Amino acid sequence: MIRILSVENMRKSDAATIAAGTPGRELMFRAGRAIFDSVNWKPPVAILCGSGNNAGDGYVIAKLLHDAEIACDLILLSEKFSEDGAYYYSLCKEAGIPSLTWDSSLNLSEYGTIVDCLFGTGFRGEVRDPAREAIEAVNRSSACVIAVDINSGLNGDSGMAETCVHSDLTVSVGSFQPGHFLNMAKDVMKAKINCDIGIEPVDRTYALIESSDLAELFQPRKNHSNKGTYGYTALIGGSKRYSGAIRLAGMANAAMRAGAGVVKLAVPDVIFTTVAPAVLESTMYPLSDDGNEMVFTEKEIAELVSNVKTVAFGMGIGTGEGAGKALEYLLEHYTGRLVVDADGLTLLSRMDKNRIRNAACTLVLTPHIKEFSRLTGLSTEEILNSPIAVAEKYAKENKVILLLKGPATVITDGETTYLTDTGCAGMATAGSGDVLSGILAAILGYSADPLLGTAAAAWINGKAGEAAQRIYGSISMTAGDTVASIPEAVLSVSEGYTQE
Ligand SMILES: NC(=O)C1=CN([C@@H]2O[C@H](COP(=O)(O)OP(=O)(O)OC[C@H]3O[C@@H](n4cnc5c(N)ncnc54)[C@H](OP(=O)(O)O)[C@@H]3O)[C@@H](O)[C@H]2O)[C@@H](O)CC1
Ligand SMILES: [K+]
C-alpha cells in the first residue's frame, strides 16, 4: 500500500520532523534534490516561484540545474520569501542565476521545461491573480511541465480546482495526498511520483491499494477445495421496466469471473425468460411480482439467502413496496455480507437510519456521488470538496462499509480508509455499476477482511475496465467488455503471488 496523508497531516508531520531535529532547510534540500534527480530535463528551464516553501524547493532545483550546467531562469510572482526559501534564493543570486519578475508578456513557450513552484500544501481557497494568469500561461505553453509537490491550484485533499496547472509529471514531496488521486487529479497530471524525504506521519494515514496488496486474496486456488469454499452469492435485481437482461447477466458473469463459487441470480418472474438465455453459469431464481416489480414474499427471500455468504441487492429492482420490504427483511434478518447498490440505495435513503445502523449483516454501500448525496442529504459540491471526510463520517455513524465511486474510489469503514485509482473514462457507460456489484459480491464471499475485499473489488473492476479500454477505446467499450477483461485483471495480481 502507498501511504497517503491529508494536507493537515502533512503539514503537522513536516513540523514534527523539524521539531525533532531535522532543519527545514535540510528537508527543503532533500525535496529539491529528489525532484532534480527524478526529471529528464529539457533546457532551458523556467522555475515559476510563489511566496512560500514550495518556491523554496524551486530555488534548490535551480541551484542544482545551474551546477549541472543546465540553463534555467527563475520567474518570481512575489517579493515575499519563506525563511528557508530566502536562504536558497540567496544562493541562486550568488551563482548568477537569472531572476525575472512575472509579467504576462513573458513567452513561456521558449522554455523546454517549466517547473511549477507556485503553491504546495500552503494553498487555500481559489487562485488569486497574478497566479491565475501565470497558471493559464503555463497551460497554454508547449513546454514539459513539472509540478512540485502538487499542481498549483489543485486542492490537496479533494483533487478539485477551479483552475490549476496541468502537469506532465507531478513530484510529490514526502507523501502523496488524496488530491493526487481524487476527482480531477487524473485529468490534470499525466504522471506522478512521490519522493521520500524522511518525514514520518504524526496522524492516521490513508492507503492507496497496489496490486501486491491483493496477491494473497487472489492466490491460485488449491486442488483440495470446492465451490463451497469460495462462497455462494445471491444477486437480486431487475424489473419489467428495467429488464436489462444483458446487464443483469453481466453482473452474474462478473461475479463468476471474480471467483464466486456459486451465483444465484434472482429476478422477478415477469422477466425470468428474458434474462435466463443470457446467463450461463449462474442459477436463476424467479421472484413473485405484480407484473412489473418484485413482490416481497418472506419465504422466497429467506430461502434464497439461507446458504449464501453474500447478497447484492438493488440493480434495476425499482423502488416499489416489494423491493423496500425485501431490503428491510435483509437488513433485519440476513447475517452475511450485503451489498446495496442503485435502486437499493434510493430505498435506503428513504428509510429510518436506525435500520441501517442496526443491520444484522455487514452492510456494504456502493454509491456514486448523486446516490451518496441522497443518502447523506449533502450537496454533490459538499461531497466533492471533501470526499474522504464525508465518507468516513457516514461510514462511522452508520456502521457500514462505504465504497464511494469516482475517478478514484474511496473505501472506508470510518476507521480505515483505502483509495483505489484503477479505472478509466470509458467505464462511464451503462452497466458498469452492475459489474462492480457482481465482482464485489463474489469477492466478499471469500475474503476474510470485508473492507480489503471491497477495495479489491474496486481495484479489479478498474483494472478490467482499463484492459477493455485498451482494446475498444473509451468511446466504444461497454460494461460487457469490462466483464470479459476480469480474468486479465485477476491474473495480473495472482501471478505476483509467492508463497512465504
Ligand atoms: N518545512 C516544510 O514544511 C517543507 C515544505 N516543503 C515544501 O513547502 C510547501 C509548503 O510550503 P508553505 O507552507 O510555505 O506554503 P506554499 O504551498 O509554498 O504556498 C503558500 C503561499 O501561497 C500563497 N497562497 C495561498 N493560497 C493562495 C491563493 N488562493 N491564491 C494566491 N496565493 C495563495 C500564500 O501567500 P499569502 O496569502 O500568505 O500571501 C502563501 O505564502 C510544500 O508543499 C513543499 O513543496 C518541502 O520543502 C519540505 C519541507
Ligand atoms: K506546485
Side-chain angles (χ1 to χ4, degrees), residues 11 14 51 53-54 57 80 120-122 124 126 128 149:
R11 289 177 67 78
D14 278 349
S51 55
N53 283 324
N54 196 246
D57 297 348
K80 261 177 31 182
T121 48
R124 296 282 175 277
E126 285 174 8
R128 300 187 296 269
D149 206 5

Side-chain angles (χ1 to χ4, degrees), residues 54 116-120 146-153 165:
N54 196 246
D116 157 32
C117 296
L118 293 176
F119 319 119
I146 310 296
V148 166
D149 206 5
I150 192 157
N151 303 38
S152 295
V165 164

Side-chain angles (χ1 to χ4, degrees), residues 61-222:
I61 296 168
K63 179 68 170 51
L64 292 168
L65 286 167
H66 178 82
D67 293 348
E69 298 183 354
I70 299 171
C72 87
D73 290 344
L74 291 168
I75 303 177
L76 273 55
L77 269 83
S78 157
E79 304 277 297
K80 261 177 31 182
F81 297 90
S82 69
E83 192 184 330
D84 295 332
Y87 169 75
Y88 287 109
Y89 181 68
S90 71
L91 296 190
C92 291
K93 290 296 276 183
E94 267 171 36
I97 297 170
S99 175
L100 320 176
T101 301
W102 165 255
D103 173 337
S104 54
S105 65
L106 282 174
N107 182 5
L108 294 180
S109 290
E110 285 174 0
Y111 294 98
T113 311
I114 298 173
V115 186
D116 157 32
C117 296
L118 293 176
F119 319 119
T121 48
F123 174 69
R124 296 282 175 277
E126 285 174 8
V127 179
R128 300 187 296 269
D129 268 331
R132 166 186 295 274
E133 199 181 72
I135 288 172
E136 284 163 5
V138 170
N139 292 344
R140 278 196 307 272
S141 80
S142 52
C144 171
V145 177
I146 310 296
V148 166
D149 206 5
I150 192 157
N151 303 38
S152 295
L154 193 68
N155 183 293
D157 283 327
S158 68
M160 291 291 284
E162 200 215 344
T163 181
C164 75
V165 164
H166 289 227
S167 66
D168 293 283
L169 174 68
T170 296
V171 188
S172 81
V173 174
S175 289
F176 282 123
Q177 285 143 45
H180 286 104
F181 303 96
L182 296 170
N183 292 318
M184 295 166 65
K186 267 190 193 165
D187 290 328
V188 301
M189 39 187 107
K190 286 195 187 137
K192 53 186 167 273
I193 52 171
N194 175 63
C195 55
D196 185 358
I197 58 166
I199 295 174
E200 281 306 310
V202 292
D203 283 343
R204 185 170 66 89
T205 61
Y206 318 124
L208 180 77
I209 298 286
E210 297 178 282
S211 165
S212 55
D213 303 319
L214 309 177
E216 179 103 32
L217 186 60
F218 294 113
Q219 61 183 276
R221 292 192 166 166
K222 308 244 177 340

Side-chain angles (χ1 to χ4, degrees), residues 208-474:
L208 180 77
I209 298 286
E210 297 178 282
S211 165
S212 55
D213 303 319
L214 309 177
E216 179 103 32
L217 186 60
F218 294 113
Q219 61 183 276
R221 292 192 166 166
K222 308 244 177 340
N223 292 302
H224 186 64
S225 66
N226 61 53
K227 62 189 183 192
T229 316
Y230 306 108
Y232 281 54
T233 293
L235 310 175
I236 308 174
S239 57
K240 191 170 178 194
R241 178 184 54 82
Y242 172 95
S243 84
I246 297 300
R247 284 171 61 174
L248 290 163
M251 178 169 60
N253 296 337
M256 289 305 298
R257 290 291 189 200
V262 173
V263 174
K264 297 157 87 175
L265 177 61
V267 301
D269 200 18
V270 62
I271 60 167
F272 189 88
T273 50
T274 327
V275 178
V279 177
L280 300 176
E281 284 97 347
S282 305
T283 319
M284 294 279 303
Y285 282 73
L287 299 171
S288 301
D289 63 60
D290 61 4
N292 180 25
E293 294 187 3
M294 73 167 287
V295 167
F296 173 64
T297 314
E298 180 169 339
K299 187 165 171 290
E300 274 177 10
I301 298 292
E303 262 177 36
L304 176 70
V305 304
S306 67
N307 64 343
V308 304
K309 270 189 139 169
T310 65
V311 174
F313 181 93
M315 302 62 58
I317 196 125
T319 54
E321 193 186 331
K325 282 191 174 158
L327 183 54
E328 283 175 13
Y329 174 84
L330 289 170
L331 291 173
E332 198 172 332
H333 298 284
Y334 178 60
T335 54
R337 295 170 175 174
L338 173 63
V339 177
V340 180
D341 189 31
D343 288 340
L345 293 169
T346 307
L347 289 166
L348 271 190
S349 63
R350 294 177 189 161
M351 271 180 207
D352 181 344
K353 284 239 168 66
N354 285 320
R355 278 193 193 275
I356 304 175
R357 278 178 207 144
N358 300 329
C361 53
T362 303
L363 192 53
V364 184
L365 311 185
T366 57
H368 55 57
I369 195 101
K370 282 202 182 122
E371 288 164 338
F372 195 44
S373 164
R374 277 202 296 273
L375 277 173
T376 54
L378 297 170
S379 67
T380 52
E381 203 183 3
E382 284 169 303
I383 298 167
L384 288 171
N385 285 334
S386 43
I388 294 187
V390 175
E392 285 187 340
K393 183 167 183 284
Y394 182 87
K396 193 167 189 159
E397 279 177 8
N398 295 288
K399 300 187 189 149
V400 299
I401 291 175
L402 188 86
L403 181 159
L404 179 59
K405 293 168 184 165
T409 307
V410 179
I411 303 102
T412 183
D413 60 3
E415 303 282 344
T416 302
T417 297
Y418 298 128
L419 263 63
T420 59
D421 77 335
T422 56
C424 51
M427 295 177 78
T429 181
S432 277
D434 307 344
V435 172
L436 173 65
S437 293
I439 296 173
L440 178 53
I443 294 176
L444 289 175
Y446 58 86
S447 87
D449 171 358
L451 187 68
L452 186 62
T454 304
W459 194 95
I460 289 287
N461 182 49
K463 207 68 182 169
E466 287 172 9
Q469 183 169 298
R470 275 197 297 278
I471 303 169
Y472 299 104
S474 62

